[in-house]
Amino acid sequence: MAAAQSLLSAAVRQLSRSAHGVVVSPVRGFQVFRIDGYSWSKTLAAGDRITSGYFAVGGRSWCVDYYPNGTDTAKDSDAISLYLRLAGTYEKQRVRAEYKFSLLDAAGNAAYELPAATSICTCAAVNHHRDSLAELDVGVGLAEFVTKEELERRRETLLRDDCLAIRCDVGVTELGVLAVAPKESHHNSNRHDDGDDSDWEGAERRERRRRQPLDDREYIRRSLSKNRGA
């Protein structure tokens, strides 16, 4: 008995093929979060936070949380806490992000900063049944970013006019679609050209219709070379 013919053989006439590309690129952004009335912020309860507005980096929304008395609700901390938080959406998210916090002087220069860190940021899906999950998320950051004693010692630089200016830099990778599929022309024997054979444009149109579909090897080669280096 003859062996069954492979469904992947060239003898199978019905051919469907496609090429799809994705480009992965780094993106970055930052937010300046200004707190006027730093001294009054210290009267908040331990564990309470002040949250910035949202800012977009890499197609996602982020915010900064400032804890004037630390994150521990049981007692006041001797240092302020700063955290980066991924904003809630209707889908669960998980993102690797590089982030850095710095305190700015009145001219906008970084007067105090710590090295950048990399963490996995997560956010549970938010809906009308579980919208409190986003509020419980602490995010990623530093529980002891700078001591209050150090802030007071450098008040002229870091707390001029009782204003605390925080800069948060965020870097992530972003995915985008890259068109790589080559265009193909197919012969259509039912069509005819009304132009004169001597007409150059008419001859060009007929030539395009006579062009044979690309074979698989050429299709793949063009898919791999299209937009290379873009």
Side-chain angles (χ1 to χ4, degrees):
M1 179 180 295
Q5 188 174 6
S6 171
L7 294 174
L8 298 179
S9 69
V12 178
R13 291 184 299 172
Q14 188 65 32
L15 173 64
S16 175
R17 57 191 180 186
S18 71
H20 181 76
V22 172
V23 58
V24 184
S25 57
V27 293
R28 68 181 183 90
F30 70 89
Q31 182 187 67
V32 175
F33 184 23
R34 173 176 155 177
I35 295 97
D36 284 23
Y38 163 78
S39 299
W40 289 108
S41 73
K42 294 189 295 182
T43 64
L44 270 65
D48 281 0
R49 68 189 181 192
I50 300 175
T51 301
S52 74
Y54 293 130
F55 64 105
V57 179
R60 299 176 176 86
S61 294
W62 307 81
C63 62
V64 174
D65 289 324
Y66 158 59
Y67 295 81
N69 292 307
T71 58
D72 189 349
T73 58
K75 61 178 181 179
D76 285 349
S77 172
D78 294 330
I80 67 169
S81 305
L82 294 179
Y83 282 82
L84 171 69
R85 186 154 49 94
L86 184 61
T89 66
Y90 292 102
E91 295 181 356
K92 183 178 180 180
Q93 297 189 74
R94 186 172 183 270
V95 185
R96 182 189 298 274
E98 183 177 359
Y99 62 95
K100 180 180 180 180
F101 290 108
S102 54
L103 301 183
L104 308 179
D105 61 19
N109 302 312
Y112 180 90
E113 60 185 357
L114 294 182
T118 300
S119 297
I120 301 296
C121 302
T122 60
C123 182
V126 176
N127 54 50
H128 64 283
H129 296 298
R130 304 176 64 186
D131 55 1
S132 62
L133 286 177
E135 295 302 319
L136 297 175
D137 182 29
V138 175
V140 296
L142 300 161
E144 297 183 352
F145 178 71
V146 62
T147 64
K148 298 174 187 176
E149 181 181 1
E150 179 69 9
L151 281 174
E152 293 294 344
R153 188 180 70 82
R154 301 173 60 178
R155 171 172 282 274
E156 185 61 27
T157 302
L158 300 177
L159 295 174
R160 178 175 292 186
D161 299 325
D162 205 29
C163 173
L164 178 66
I166 304 164
R167 172 171 171 163
C168 178
D169 288 82
V170 182
V172 297
T173 52
E174 187 176 48
L175 303 182
V177 176
L178 182 65
V180 297
K183 294 182 179 180
E184 297 188 83
S185 298
H186 299 281
H187 175 65
N188 187 342
S189 59
N190 293 326
R191 294 182 58 185
H192 63 278
D193 186 69
D194 295 331
D196 191 334
D197 287 347
S198 62
D199 180 68
W200 183 87
E201 292 183 357
E204 180 68 16
R205 287 195 296 270
R206 288 191 296 277
E207 176 61 26
R208 286 200 299 267
R209 287 199 297 272
R210 283 196 295 267
R211 189 180 304 161
Q212 295 298 317
L214 301 175
D215 61 30
D216 289 353
R217 183 182 296 275
E218 180 63 15
Y219 182 90
I220 294 172
R221 187 193 70 79
R222 295 192 185 186
S223 298
L224 296 180
S225 62
K226 188 175 182 181
N227 292 327
R228 179 73 72 174

